[in-house]
Amino acid sequence: MTTLLVSTRKGLFTFEAHAGAWTLTRRAFVGDNVTLALADSRDGTWYAALDHGHFGVKLHRSADRGETWEEVGVPAYPAVEGEDEAAALKLIWSLEPAGADRPGHLWAGTIPGGLFRSRDRGSSWQLVDSLWDHPDRARWMGGGADQPGIHSVLVDPRDSDRVLVGVSCGGVWETTDDGATWTVRAEGMRADFMPPEQAGDPVIQDPHRVVACPADFDRLWTQHHCGIWRSTDAARTWQEVEHAGPSTFGFAVAVHPREPDTAWFVPAHSDQHRIPVDGRVVVTRTRDGGKSFDVLDDGLPRADAYDLVFRHGLAIDDTGDRLAFGSTTGSVWLTEDGGEHWSTLSTHLPPVYAVTFA
Amino acid sequence: MPSVHFTANLQRHVACPPRDVQGTTVRACLDAVFADNPRARGYVLDEHGAVRHHMNVFVDGEQVIDRVGLSDPVRPDSEIYVMQALSGG
């Protein structure tokens, strides 16, 4: 894939590769807060989620690869009888195609914690009541935001009825019946931010981002608030990876499309210091399921860098060789060889929230 | 007739020219505007019809009290201003 969509605090920027050189070719929503973009490979539609602050959250759709955009619907929370303070949409935190056999169907994870589905390419949205009404949802907590939110939606390529969602802070939830019922799947994770007796409670875990290998969907990775975990049994149990280069703290994770033991992370120092260790931006990569990690920094800044990479700030394309990541200080780097060498696309974009290949 | 005016900052996203409308409450007046301009509704009100957190509505220079029900009364010659609260950077 030779197009990269970069969602930033002040616009959506499109980079394209021509003859091996990546250049910024298109700017959309300049000045506006673009929090996330999706390029739907099923029909070529692009989506951009915006947060206008004063004017609320909006979703735009493009049928011509970003040349023109139209505003479409947004998820809406139900009114609660007798309550003035009903939940209201704060952020579209994840946007995913709902399976190859369901063209035009999408999932959206949001803050304050609702999962929504669209059957008409984002024109209208329906809340998944079964998860919203689940009694355990009351124990979800804010993490990185005042209210809890769904930032990861994983649709099993073998069965679109099976969906996993990652929640900060609410663990990982699985449905195998297209959203009718849900089971928490965070056994083995540990939340150091809780009192000791509650640290293992699956329902309050803070997986920052959850991914599964497309070719072997039972093998998953999460960059969790308290470290790195992996699962080799379809999320039923999770095992901690205790060492990964300079730090196991971070937000983003990418997994190879065909090699489930190969994953990349962009570490920060720690929860308390959300900056690179020693001012050096590095990417850590394992190829053996987390037993060992390479620390990759060729082409990345090696001193006085304070870049942080958010949950959706790291992306991999379907070749498995090309990855890109964008930072809070507006840098974007790209590799074509699995991270051995990185080239700089920009060092002065607005703060980057998300990158995705198209 | 009461008149409704919108902040210039909103015009960048949705054209909202001033309107003279019928109505005796803020809700009735805004509904009259949004009936002809449905896209604007979601920029001013949330999905429950309440004024968005960082928006302000003034009637004759006074901030409305009922930001959820928008029941504040409006006189036939009132001027309603839909503005944004100052926040962010």
Side-chain angles (χ1 to χ4, degrees):
Chain A
M1 294 171 142
T2 52
T3 302
L4 181 71
L5 305 182
V6 181
S7 303
T8 80
R9 180 68 182 80
K10 308 271 182 187
L12 177 68
F13 301 95
T14 303
F15 288 83
E16 290 180 284
H18 295 289
W22 288 80
T23 52
L24 205 175
T25 55
R26 191 165 285 159
R27 302 134 191 95
F29 310 109
V30 173
D32 294 329
N33 184 4
V34 182
T35 55
L36 195 65
L38 165 68
D40 188 340
S41 61
R42 299 171 302 178
D43 60 9
T45 305
W46 289 6
Y47 298 87
L50 279 73
D51 178 6
H52 286 304
H54 298 87
F55 305 127
V57 171
K58 312 297 173 198
L59 184 66
H60 293 251
R61 180 173 70 195
S62 174
D64 52 14
R65 291 176 62 82
E67 205 161 302
T68 59
W69 294 87
E70 61 169 329
E71 188 176 332
V72 292
V74 287
Y77 280 83
V80 180
E81 189 104 11
E83 270 188 40
D84 281 355
E85 293 288 315
L89 181 66
K90 293 284 191 298
L91 186 70
I92 295 174
W93 216 8
S94 53
L95 204 52
E96 295 291 343
D101 56 338
R102 294 175 189 177
H105 292 212
L106 303 171
W107 292 106
T110 69
I111 295 176
L115 178 68
F116 291 81
R117 74 163 91 214
S118 171
R119 295 180 172 91
D120 53 13
R121 298 168 66 238
S123 295
S124 64
W125 294 89
Q126 296 81 43
L127 177 68
V128 177
D129 295 320
S130 53
L131 188 58
W132 183 247
D133 294 335
H134 196 290
D136 279 344
R137 190 186 60 80
R139 294 200 289 126
W140 294 4
M141 306 178 295
D146 289 341
Q147 297 167 296
I150 296 173
H151 47 69
S152 299
V153 179
L154 294 74
V155 179
D156 193 328
R158 303 163 300 192
D159 175 8
S160 298
D161 282 351
R162 181 168 180 266
V163 178
L164 295 154
V165 300
V167 187
S168 288
C169 306
V172 177
W173 290 78
E174 178 191 39
T175 178
T176 57
D177 51 17
D178 195 29
T181 59
W182 294 87
T183 306
V184 66
R185 296 290 189 200
E187 190 68 44
M189 295 184 192
R190 185 192 69 255
D192 295 332
F193 49 84
M194 295 295 286
E197 64 274 15
Q198 287 159 276
D201 182 351
V203 177
I204 51 75
Q205 298 299 319
D206 185 11
H208 284 168
R209 184 82 199 274
V210 186
V211 295
C213 176
D216 188 351
F217 216 70
D218 293 343
R219 312 272 289 276
L220 299 98
W221 292 90
T222 182
Q223 172 65 69
H224 183 285
H225 191 82
C226 302
I228 293 169
W229 271 262
R230 69 189 287 251
S231 172
T232 58
D233 58 5
R236 278 188 285 278
T237 63
W238 295 82
Q239 292 78 44
E240 186 174 10
V241 172
E242 293 183 12
H243 305 285
S247 164
T248 59
F249 182 83
F251 291 90
V253 52
V255 61
H256 193 285
R258 291 174 302 282
E259 299 167 15
D261 284 339
T262 299
W264 292 259
F265 301 83
V266 189
H269 180 277
S270 61
D271 180 16
Q272 298 82 357
H273 291 100
R274 299 180 179 194
I275 52 176
V277 177
D278 298 330
R280 292 177 57 199
V281 175
V282 304
V283 173
T284 55
R285 178 188 62 197
T286 179
R287 294 159 127 172
D288 55 12
K291 292 190 194 71
S292 66
F293 279 82
D294 304 311
V295 178
L296 310 168
D297 67 352
D298 187 10
L300 301 175
R302 290 180 176 169
D304 273 315
Y306 300 96
D307 300 75
L308 183 68
V309 176
F310 284 152
R311 286 170 172 78
H312 305 96
L314 169 68
I316 187 165
D317 80 353
D318 50 16
T319 67
D321 295 324
R322 188 177 291 123
L323 295 94
F325 67 102
S327 78
T328 51
T329 38
S331 299
V332 179
W333 293 284
L334 183 135
T335 178
E336 310 258 10
D337 57 10
E340 296 295 333
H341 307 90
W342 295 90
S343 55
T344 302
L345 300 197
S346 181
T347 56
H348 50 265
L349 285 177
V352 175
Y353 293 137
V355 298
T356 189
F357 287 99
Chain B
M1 289 168 80
S3 60
V4 184
H5 308 259
F6 293 88
T7 169
N9 291 350
L10 179 54
Q11 312 293 332
R12 192 161 66 84
H13 304 295
V14 190
C16 292
R19 284 279 312 277
D20 292 332
V21 295
Q22 299 278 3
T24 57
T25 64
V26 173
R27 172 74 71 200
C29 292
L30 291 184
D31 278 350
V33 175
F34 296 145
D36 298 330
N37 191 354
R39 227 182 113 223
R41 175 185 295 272
Y43 284 75
V44 176
L45 307 178
D46 71 14
E47 58 255 64
H48 308 301
V51 179
R52 287 196 173 281
H53 190 59
H54 293 292
M55 295 295 286
N56 269 336
V57 179
F58 295 84
V59 178
D60 301 323
E62 298 286 336
Q63 280 192 48
V64 300
I65 295 165
D66 180 7
R67 293 174 57 88
V68 175
L70 297 175
S71 60
D72 293 43
V74 172
R75 297 194 319 265
D77 61 346
S78 283
E79 291 191 321
I80 300 173
Y81 277 87
V82 177
M83 308 299 287
Q84 63 180 54
L86 291 182
S87 62

